[in-house]
């Protein structure tokens, strides 16, 4: 191998590493917005409490006292 081939290989490896590290540092956006979470909550029979606790949907659990 010549020094030119080694230099080209190192340059390509550095470019690949730079590409992968740059893409991995991008912040991910939220999966659902609050409006979508509220709609899902209400569709499933819950009460949206997102105003009190961010993203919180409350469901009533079955009670043992009812037949």
């Amino acid at each position: 191998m010549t020094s030119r081939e080694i230099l080209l290989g190192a340059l390509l490896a550095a470019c690949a590493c730079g590409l992968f590290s740059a893409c991995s540092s991008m912040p991910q956006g939220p999966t659902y917005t609050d409006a979508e979470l509220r709609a899902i909550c209400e569709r499933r029979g819950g009460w949206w409490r997102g105003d009190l606790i961010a993203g919180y949907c409350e469901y009533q659990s079955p009670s043992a006292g009812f037949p």
Side-chain angles (χ1 to χ4, degrees), residues 7-53:
L7 183 61
L8 181 61
L11 182 63
L12 287 174
C15 288
C17 289
L19 177 67
F20 290 129
S21 65
C23 292
S24 67
S25 64
M26 293 178 59
Q28 296 295 320
T31 305
Y32 296 103
T33 63
D34 279 344
E36 291 170 329
L37 289 173
R38 182 179 190 152
I40 292 169
C41 175
E42 291 173 352
R43 257 195 319 261
R44 293 181 180 170
W47 295 277
W48 180 248
R49 305 288 189 226
D51 300 330
L52 301 173
I53 302 170

